[in-house]
Amino acid sequence: QTMLADAKPGDTVLVGSAFTGVIEIPEGLKDVTIVSMGANADKIVLDQDNIDNVTFDGFSFDRTDDNDVTIKLTPDKTIGAVTFKNCSITGKGQKVTDGLSGKNRNTDITFEGCTFSGVGRPVYDEFGGIKSLTLKDCLPMTLPTVCPGLRRFREKLIRF
């Protein structure tokens, strides 16, 4: 986590294959790209203030835990734009696994070139809390498959 704490705007942080565990984003991280170089991350936690314009590129998650979340947003924090590029989230458990879950009314989430497989709820907008959601070139690409029961997104901006 030290590598992210030292990141400055405009930096690209490489996360190597020796990394295992949870990626926790430090407070104030802005304008940074985090690239997986074969990292074995378990999940990404966005639970600090003043995070904005952060891109995760090339992360793959094989979820074997039941009722677990891969990317967790925490409410009541200032989290702006977060982008996930070229990612894959694969659920291998017996019960529902969420890709992204949480509630944060200030957050703009983009998934670009991502694949969701065996994931019960690729995007679960808990209590209607995500400001906007953009899905570009993701599989599966149908709204009911990506976001089942998406009544909460009725008044929100969803782009394909």
Side-chain angles (χ1 to χ4, degrees), residues 6 11 18 20-21 41 77-78 86 90 106 121 129 136 148 152 160:
D6 296 335
D11 282 355
T20 59
K77 301 292 180 183
T78 304
N86 308 310
T90 304
N106 301 311
R121 300 180 295 208
K136 295 180 184 175
R152 296 180 188 100
F160 284 92

Side-chain angles (χ1 to χ4, degrees), residues 3 48 53 77 103 140:
M3 62 191 162
Q48 298 295 320
N53 199 26
K77 301 292 180 183
K103 53 185 176 183

Side-chain angles (χ1 to χ4, degrees), residues 71-91:
I71 303 160
K72 180 70 177 170
L73 281 174
T74 301
D76 304 322
K77 301 292 180 183
T78 304
I79 301 172
V82 180
T83 300
F84 300 91
K85 289 183 174 183
N86 308 310
C87 66
S88 70
I89 300 173
T90 304

Side-chain angles (χ1 to χ4, degrees), residues 99-154:
L100 176 133
S101 181
K103 53 185 176 183
N104 191 304
R105 297 188 188 286
N106 301 311
T107 304
D108 298 303
I109 297 291
T110 300
F111 285 98
E112 186 174 335
C114 294
T115 302
F116 303 98
S117 175
V119 179
R121 300 180 295 208
V123 178
Y124 180 57
D125 182 27
E126 192 174 326
F127 307 112
I130 297 171
K131 182 178 173 185
S132 71
L133 172 65
T134 301
L135 303 165
K136 295 180 184 175
D137 302 322
C138 294
L139 297 172
M141 267 307 291
T142 63
L143 188 58
T145 303
V146 174
C147 308
L150 204 60
R151 293 183 317 235
R152 296 180 188 100
F153 269 107
R154 264 193 313 235

Side-chain angles (χ1 to χ4, degrees), residues 35-103:
V35 179
S36 172
M37 304 298 290
N40 295 303
D42 291 326
K43 63 175 63 178
I44 295 172
V45 178
L46 299 161
D47 65 352
Q48 298 295 320
D49 268 327
N50 301 314
I51 297 170
D52 191 23
N53 199 26
V54 175
T55 300
F56 295 89
D57 194 350
F59 282 86
S60 294
F61 301 93
D62 289 329
R63 306 302 305 157
T64 57
D65 302 330
D66 291 338
N67 296 326
D68 203 3
V69 176
T70 305
I71 303 160
K72 180 70 177 170
L73 281 174
T74 301
D76 304 322
K77 301 292 180 183
T78 304
I79 301 172
V82 180
T83 300
F84 300 91
K85 289 183 174 183
N86 308 310
C87 66
S88 70
I89 300 173
T90 304
K92 297 181 178 180
Q94 297 296 318
K95 297 183 182 174
V96 173
T97 296
D98 292 337
L100 176 133
S101 181
K103 53 185 176 183

